[in-house]
Amino acid sequence: MRDQKEIHYCNLPKMPEPAFDSPVGPMRMEAIIIMAKKWVNGTKLKYSFFERDSFFTPVTDASGNQSKLFWKGTNDEKEAVRNAFATWKSHEIGLEFEETDDHLEALIRIGFAKGEGSWSYVGRDAWDIPKEERTMNFGWDIVSDEDTILHEIGHAMGFPHEHQNPKAGIVWDEEAVYSALAAAPNFWSREQTFHNIIRKISPDDVQGSSWDPNSIMHYPFGANMIIAPPKYKDGLSPEDGLSNRDISWVKQFYPKIDKRTFVALKPFHSEIISINAGNQINLEFSPEESRYYTIRTFGNMDTVMVLSEVVNDENIYLSGDDDSGEDRNSVIKEKLLKGKKYVINIRLYYKTSAGDTCVMAY
Ligand SMILES: [Zn+2]
């Protein structure tokens, strides 16, 4: 069981809430929010570590003394992170992880600045972070703390905090929570505690219909922080490692990809998209001439569409579009070359009416 005492908590960076141009009904909103931060399945998430002393956070203490919190980690720390990526991948998911020593090509950029807390951006939010900045940090020694690493990687894959699941039905002793987190080792402001614990995630931001107190995305809590359910008055300690539901959810969002199911897309030929919300269609496209192509979805639906070039069996991202919550369709325009092979992934968030939906390249 994860220890409740002297527990360090993960402190998520704040991102703006999604805004919608036009009124979006609750069912459609729910579908969009569940999927919004998830990656298109099959994405290779490259990760990197910061190695040089030129990467650090400058700190000034109360007396005006300046120091540096270096982002680089030890070999043992880096190995612990590699092992945690391998643990997620061992469940045969469609996402791929690969280490790169070039942080400019990494989507997940990992620092080990001690004292800055452990945190990660959630899923696709990492796209918007400048390449010279971290998207994940480990603020304490995680060499024998695999659960913290699995938790932060869970955020990087797009999973939110489970203890903020409104379906959890947790009633907090809010003042006890604020004062526990204000003390060592976290020293959180009330705002940080509210953002990471008390605040209920919108009902639709969490996956699933039930609460999983053993989820890797759930914090442990000490005694007298939870008023109800009463069984957790003495504290709540999630079991070590990934829970059964963590595994079933990651496999639902990121099932193993079978390239034999890929559909060949032909120019000017519409391909019907017959998948359920949350699922993904994968298409291959081999242009017969080199020119600009427009790839567009048709029909009333919300999708995220990603175009990649296949190089040495690896999908290299070229372009993406996300039309969720908008009255338009996903569209990508790119120059594509004869002799090259491309893959188009379309994840369906929501279908707003029953008519046909399809995709075409022209
Ligand atoms: Zn967290």
Side-chain angles (χ1 to χ4, degrees):
M1 293 209 298
R2 274 176 260 164
D3 189 9
Q4 304 152 5
K5 297 191 182 59
E6 288 293 301
I7 191 78
H8 284 92
Y9 285 116
C10 156
N11 174 24
L12 285 184
K14 280 194 188 173
M15 292 295 281
E17 300 287 327
F20 299 100
D21 299 344
S22 47
V24 169
M27 292 286 288
R28 187 176 174 195
M29 176 87 83
E30 170 170 350
I32 291 169
I33 292 176
I34 288 175
M35 297 306 305
K37 292 177 193 270
K38 305 284 191 306
W39 301 95
V40 161
N41 193 24
T43 300
K44 180 176 277 184
L45 294 176
K46 292 197 178 185
Y47 64 93
S48 69
F49 302 111
F50 292 92
E51 299 292 354
R52 298 196 304 276
D53 287 346
S54 51
F55 296 107
F56 61 86
T57 308
V59 203
T60 308
D61 71 13
S63 344
N65 299 317
Q66 294 188 330
S67 58
K68 296 174 177 177
L69 297 178
F70 289 105
W71 296 356
K72 67 179 180 186
T74 65
N75 288 337
D76 286 347
E77 285 171 322
K78 288 186 282 187
E79 198 57 23
V81 173
R82 292 182 190 111
N83 290 339
F85 275 111
T87 297
W88 276 111
K89 185 64 189 174
S90 72
H91 295 286
E92 302 204 311
I93 57 174
L95 281 181
E96 311 231 20
F97 308 115
E98 185 180 284
E99 185 176 347
T100 168
D101 53 14
D102 180 2
H103 68 270
L104 297 178
E105 69 164 27
L107 283 163
I108 303 175
R109 298 178 297 281
I110 302 163
F112 299 90
K114 299 289 185 298
E116 266 197 83
S118 293
W119 48 264
S120 169
Y121 285 94
V122 177
R124 290 199 276 142
D125 283 348
W127 262 126
D128 300 327
I129 309 308
K131 290 290 189 188
E132 65 277 11
E133 291 182 16
R134 293 162 294 169
T135 68
M136 184 183 288
N137 189 66
F138 295 105
W140 55 84
D141 183 356
I142 44 77
V143 170
S144 43
D145 181 8
E146 186 179 41
D147 281 356
T148 291
I149 314 173
L150 291 171
H151 177 101
E152 300 307 340
I153 295 173
H155 284 317
M157 292 192 292
F159 293 98
H161 277 149
E162 179 67 12
H163 51 269
Q164 290 171 283
N165 183 341
K167 290 158 186 159
I170 294 181
V171 179
W172 301 104
D173 183 336
E174 295 193 6
E175 286 312 312
V177 176
Y178 283 123
S179 64
L181 273 292
N186 294 289
F187 303 110
W188 278 3
S189 66
R190 289 180 75 89
E191 194 195 0
Q192 282 174 310
T193 300
F194 177 79
H195 180 69
N196 284 288
I197 297 180
I198 307 277
R199 175 182 67 109
K200 297 278 187 229
I201 296 173
S202 112
D204 315 316
D205 211 352
V206 278
Q207 40 276 329
S209 53
S210 59
W211 170 42
D212 177 15
N214 281 321
S215 171
I216 196 70
M217 304 315 293
H218 203 296
Y219 291 168
F221 292 99
N224 302 318
M225 291 166 84
I226 296 173
I227 295 171
K231 67 191 259 203
Y232 296 119
K233 275 184 180 168
D234 295 331
L236 186 167
S237 294
E239 288 170 13
D240 285 346
L242 303 179
S243 70
N244 290 336
R245 205 212 55 183
D246 291 332
I247 294 166
S248 65
W249 275 104
V250 77
K251 288 169 84 78
Q252 175 165 338
F253 283 104
Y254 301 115
K256 190 174 184 188
I257 287 194
D258 180 354
K259 288 185 180 163
R260 289 170 300 183
T261 64
F262 283 22
V263 177
L265 185 64
K266 298 286 177 205
F268 301 104
H269 176 87
S270 67
E271 199 62 54
I272 303 279
I273 300 176
S274 58
I275 50 175
N276 295 322
N279 291 345
Q280 179 174 312
I281 181 172
N282 306 299
L283 305 112
E284 288 173 328
F285 185 57
S286 302
E288 287 155 7
E289 55 178 321
S290 300
R291 63 173 173 86
Y292 277 94
Y293 287 86
T294 301
I295 303 160
R296 185 189 295 271
T297 62
F298 296 87
N300 294 319
M301 59 182 170
D302 289 314
T303 56
V304 57
M305 176 162 68
V306 166
L307 169 71
S308 311
E309 182 183 335
V310 182
V311 181
N312 299 330
D313 217 27
E314 181 177 335
N315 293 357
I316 310 290
Y317 177 91
L318 291 181
S319 187
D321 190 22
D322 183 336
D323 68 6
S324 55
E326 298 179 47
D327 291 327
R328 65 176 189 91
N329 284 83
S330 288
V331 59
I332 289 173
K333 192 173 182 194
E334 280 286 329
K335 188 170 188 181
L336 305 180
L337 304 176
K338 181 183 176 179
K340 302 231 177 207
K341 197 164 120 185
Y342 301 90
V343 164
I344 299 145
N345 308 109
I346 300 171
R347 172 95 85 169
L348 180 67
Y349 291 90
Y350 188 66
K351 229 168 131 167
T352 41
S353 65
D356 273 354
T357 50
C358 59
V359 55
M360 190 193 283
Y362 55 94

